[in-house]
Amino acid sequence: MANPIKKVCCIGAGYVGGPSMTVMADRSPEIEFNVVDKNLKRIESWNSLDLNNLPIYEPGLMKLIKKCRNKNLYFSNEIEKNIALADMIFISVNTPTKTTGLGAGQAIDLKWIESCARQIAMHAKGHTIVVEKSTLPVKTAQTIKSILDSYIKKDFGDNNKNSKTFSILSNPEFLAEGTAIEDLLKPDRILIGGDDNNAIEVLKNIYLKWVNEQKILTTDIWSSELSKLIANAFLAQRISSINSISALCESTEANISDVAKAVGMDSRIGKYFLKSGPGFGGSCFKKDILNLVYICNYYGLFEVANYWEKVITINSWQQNRIVSIIVNKLYGTISGKKIAILGFAFKANTNDTRESPAINICRKLLEEGCILNIYDPKVSIEQIDNDLKNEDLSNLNELNNEKKWQVSSSIIDAVRKTDALIILTDWNEFYNLDLEEINNLMRPPGWIFDTRNIINIKQANKYGLNIWKIGNGNLM
Ligand code: NAD
Ligand code: UGA
């Protein structure tokens, strides 16, 4: 029987580190979980007395935080101290695409992983199990191991020589935002890769508190690292597949929901991840596929790289073609027109906007000279401003000093005096829009562009609204 662990440290208090440690803490009251981050503002938000101020919004998270925080779950920026005290350390830091240098635009920037490895190497004491929770390129464990080993060999002159040892495991996270707590509590599988059976058993024992043993899969470390990238690539591939067919439906008077249903009822294909929309967003799909493309090219597998790259090509194409459709339907120009945007988060039930299709679509619309009223139930004004602003896009129209976009506090506020309404996120509250009131508030002829396929066409027509729905070839 492997030694039970008493203290866990998780480096990175983000969308993965926060919720995953919260669920573990809830299921293992005898273990102390310390989630650390160098971002003090984020830590302060995790410790906020008002639970509405938590740094991330996830259904079910508040309740668990209330139960565990400051009992066996702590958030702090005392990174070194908590590394030293931990028997097990999860690395849950960001792994974005490199923006400069070798592999820029495709390879993963491992600088945060490397800095974690160095911090662990310097401050860990005794035997420490280091767990990769971040999504990493295959073979990253080798990099981490070489950094940890180099510090073990180094004599620090404090009689600490060789007193520390490490085991490295890969334990990728498969949660999706918006359903993170549910996904963590009822995972499809837990994947643990490694070659130290004792360490594997220790980690497995944590999960066994709430996950059935049959769902815990153990593999070698490289298969585990690679499986995570491939799972994301397959999910994104399904979305690009259905989005490519949404365009074909529009050209052939077919209906994408019916096609997806008919195709998905084949048990070999399955019904999930077949909803067409404005393209996938989120911090991971694009960067993980780009990384896969980079790895394939690195190993000389050019056809494989080209194959996966097309998943991203279709994703961008879907967003661009939606913008063209909107401009064309609004008589070929949207200059000076007001447009309401419903939904800015990359999917419902999250406040995350990373790689949200809304960013690209809104930017392109703004370039056409329109004015946007943006409403999202969870995304803050600051976040929207940050996402839309950059050197070439300031919020002020130089000619008349009028704001190019404003953030509305309700659907009704957003829609008033607009020419068009565009649904970009599938928030629950957009399913039952009061189309009569909306039509009364809009400047005729009012248009609805439904990129999430949630509006009833007959209802919209009944109140005199024009409607375009993704993947619907027959709108009459
Ligand atoms: P995030 O950006 O929300 O959080 C990462 C945190 O790590 C940040 O708060 C950052 O300040 C902190 N950090 C970075 N380097 C640090 C260091 N050296 N010391 C202390 N703190 C440090 O990222 P995320 O969305 O939680 O993703 C983390 C990893 O998990 C990524 O590899 C991602 O691909 C993967 N993943 C994400 C999701 C998701 O839904 N977001 C799901 C599964 C896997
Ligand atoms: C995704 C995966 O689902 C998780 O398993 C994985 O752990 C995570 O990435 C990660 O590694 O970061 P996430 O991006 O949070 O999770 O959310 P998804 O539900 O996968 O949605 C991603 C995007 O695809 C969203 O923009 C969503 O609107 C879109 N989508 C999803 C569709 O357009 N159609 C669908 O049928 C499903």
Side-chain angles (χ1 to χ4, degrees):
M1 174 82 180
N3 274 342
I5 50 165
K6 295 188 185 72
K7 282 185 199 275
V8 165
C9 171
C10 172
I11 310 179
Y15 283 84
V16 167
S20 60
M21 292 304 119
T22 302
V23 166
M24 279 191 188
D26 180 53
R27 300 293 143 145
S28 302
E30 74 288 0
I31 301 176
E32 184 181 301
F33 291 83
N34 288 288
V35 187
V36 297
D37 203 295
K38 60 184 181 181
N39 180 340
L40 185 58
K41 204 166 154 231
R42 213 165 205 186
I43 290 298
E44 282 169 358
S45 303
W46 280 111
N47 284 324
S48 170
L49 289 179
D50 179 355
L51 291 175
N52 288 308
N53 290 339
L54 292 181
I56 65 175
Y57 171 73
E58 272 298 336
L61 176 64
M62 256 192 218
K63 198 173 134 205
L64 292 182
I65 290 280
K66 207 170 164 188
K67 200 170 151 199
C68 307
R69 197 177 60 185
N70 297 332
K71 295 196 177 85
N72 68 327
L73 174 66
Y74 300 89
F75 294 92
S76 87
N77 63 340
E78 292 183 304
I79 301 173
E80 297 171 7
K81 179 185 132 192
N82 282 300
I83 286 176
L85 290 172
D87 311 301
M88 178 179 275
I89 300 173
F90 287 92
I91 300 181
S92 202
V93 299
N94 36 325
T95 50
T97 306
K98 271 184 95 170
T99 50
T100 52
L102 279 180
Q106 281 192 339
I108 291 290
D109 193 339
L110 288 173
K111 78 172 171 226
W112 290 272
I113 294 290
E114 183 177 332
S115 96
C116 281
R118 288 182 191 277
Q119 280 171 304
I120 295 169
M122 299 233 309
H123 302 291
K125 290 199 166 36
H127 184 67
T128 312
I129 301 174
V130 178
V131 186
E132 299 174 339
K133 198 141 223 16
S134 296
T135 303
L136 297 169
V138 56
K139 295 273 173 182
T140 304
Q142 203 161 281
T143 309
I144 296 177
K145 187 173 182 322
S146 106
I147 293 170
L148 296 178
D149 283 351
S150 65
Y151 277 75
I152 292 173
K153 285 185 200 126
K154 198 166 150 61
D155 182 357
F156 291 107
D158 59 355
N159 296 327
N160 210 11
K161 193 181 176 188
N162 292 341
S163 67
K164 49 180 113 190
T165 51
F166 299 99
S167 295
I168 303 172
L169 298 178
S170 156
N171 173 221
E173 184 49 64
F174 295 97
L175 69 80
E177 288 177 31
T179 52
I181 299 299
E182 204 185 318
D183 296 341
L184 287 160
L185 288 171
K186 293 185 198 148
D188 284 346
R189 79 309 213 176
I190 296 293
L191 180 56
I192 303 177
D195 53 16
D196 176 346
N197 289 335
N198 197 55
I200 290 175
E201 206 185 320
V202 172
L203 181 55
K204 201 171 160 183
N205 283 338
I206 296 184
Y207 284 112
L208 278 174
K209 297 200 174 114
W210 77 98
V211 181
N212 192 307
E213 186 158 17
Q214 270 124 29
K215 290 197 166 180
I216 303 180
L217 179 66
T218 54
T219 66
D220 64 81
I221 203 154
W222 315 131
S223 305
S224 173
E225 288 179 335
L226 188 57
S227 300
K228 170 63 197 178
L229 279 190
I230 303 309
N232 273 1
F234 270 56
L235 288 169
Q237 179 202 42
R238 276 173 78 93
I239 300 170
S240 280
S241 298
I242 203 70
N243 281 344
S244 70
I245 302 306
S246 70
L248 187 57
C249 285
E250 288 159 30
S251 302
T252 57
E253 300 192 6
N255 180 310
I256 194 66
S257 307
D258 292 338
V259 172
K261 189 169 181 189
V263 171
M265 278 174 80
D266 186 324
S267 59
R268 293 168 302 176
I269 297 172
K271 64 180 179 181
Y272 297 106
F273 263 69
L274 288 181
K275 268 194 182 165
S276 69
F280 55 76
S283 61
C284 296
F285 280 172
K286 187 173 168 193
K287 72 139 168 97
D288 289 346
I289 295 181
L290 286 170
N291 185 226
L292 180 62
V293 168
Y294 179 77
I295 292 170
C296 292
N297 278 326
Y298 175 84
Y299 286 106
L301 302 168
F302 306 118
E303 285 76 9
V304 184
N306 292 343
Y307 172 75
W308 286 105
E309 202 162 17
K310 285 283 177 271
V311 173
I312 297 176
T313 307
I314 289 287
N315 202 51
S316 310
W317 173 78
Q318 180 80 339
Q319 291 167 18
N320 295 341
R321 86 179 183 87
I322 287 172
V323 173
S324 302
I325 288 168
I326 293 168
V327 175
N328 287 334
K329 295 274 185 206
L330 297 178
Y331 307 117
T333 174
I334 55 171
S335 178
K337 291 180 180 165
K338 275 196 178 155
I339 295 181
I341 299 290
L342 296 195
F344 201 80
F346 80 97
K347 64 183 284 199
N349 292 320
T350 178
N351 59 344
D352 195 352
T353 63
R354 290 177 291 179
E355 296 292 339
S356 176
I359 300 174
N360 191 22
I361 291 175
C362 287
R363 282 176 161 273
K364 290 224 145 50
L365 292 171
L366 289 167
E367 279 164 22
E368 295 286 334
C370 71
I371 296 152
L372 298 178
N373 291 349
I374 304 170
Y375 169 72
D376 187 287
K378 289 288 172 200
V379 179
S380 66
I381 298 181
E382 295 74 34
Q383 188 60 52
I384 293 175
D385 279 348
N386 265 339
D387 287 335
L388 292 182
K389 253 186 214 150
N390 67 10
E391 312 85 59
D392 54 287
L393 207 56
S394 104
N395 192 5
L396 279 186
N397 189 320
E398 281 160 23
L399 290 178
N400 55 11
N401 249 11
E402 200 182 359
K403 279 197 164 176
K404 288 181 187 164
W405 70 86
Q406 41 213 359
V407 179
S408 308
S409 56
S410 70
I411 297 173
I412 294 306
D413 270 357
V415 163
R416 200 167 279 125
K417 292 187 181 153
T418 53
D419 294 274
L421 174 170
I422 310 173
I423 299 171
L424 291 180
T425 313
D426 48 346
W427 282 100
N428 244 344
E429 62 188 273
F430 303 156
Y431 279 77
N432 293 307
L433 294 177
D434 184 341
L435 296 178
E436 187 175 14
E437 189 179 9
I438 283 176
N439 185 44
N440 290 337
L441 289 169
M442 288 175 90
R443 188 171 81 148
W447 269 93
I448 294 189
F449 295 92
D450 176 8
T451 73
R452 293 285 184 171
N453 228 334
I454 60 183
I455 298 291
N456 182 309
I457 296 175
K458 280 195 187 135
Q459 287 285 314
N461 289 155
K462 182 176 153 192
Y463 295 115
L465 287 158
N466 292 306
I467 181 156
W468 174 87
K469 246 172 97 132
I470 198 136
N472 279 248
N474 189 351
L475 285 171
M476 289 304 129

